[in-house]
Amino acid sequence: MDSDNHYCRRLGIPLPDLDAALTKPDLTLTHVVALALLEAGGPLTFEAIAERLARLALPPRLAAAGLPAALRKAWRGQPPVVRDPVDGRFYLD
């Protein structure tokens, strides 16, 4: 477990393997956002999330032109991914 990763340390889990997670057939873009936040260990902007995901080979069902726009559309405003109204970053509830 990465001791600098606040989320994983708090949950007592290892860093997620995003590449391995992308092989799961029922994985949604919202799940990928939550995993990216877990991997980062703290809040991120949608742009930063999109940058993290851009380095991955997303399956065709998740890959979309304009990834930041697709991420915004996938986010439903409900836990576990929530938005800080002050700074606009997204974090895990």
Side-chain angles (χ1 to χ4, degrees):
M1 182 179 347
D2 182 352
S3 64
D4 292 334
N5 185 305
H6 300 291
Y7 287 149
C8 291
R9 185 177 65 238
R10 172 87 186 244
L11 294 170
I13 61 173
L15 270 168
D17 181 346
L18 290 176
D19 290 312
L22 291 174
T23 65
K24 306 296 181 194
D26 58 345
L27 190 75
T28 67
L29 201 50
T30 303
H31 294 137
V32 176
V33 169
L35 288 170
L37 289 167
L38 271 174
E39 179 192 60
L44 295 171
T45 64
F46 259 146
E47 291 75 18
I49 293 168
E51 287 175 18
R52 289 178 99 72
L53 299 184
R55 74 181 201 280
L56 301 171
L58 292 173
R61 64 187 171 72
L62 296 178
L67 190 56
L71 291 172
R72 287 185 198 283
K73 190 174 182 180
W75 179 63
R76 303 283 185 235
Q78 299 174 359
V81 178
V82 292
R83 184 171 184 241
D84 185 316
V86 176
D87 68 12
R89 293 185 304 165
F90 292 82
Y91 63 96
L92 294 175
D93 185 17

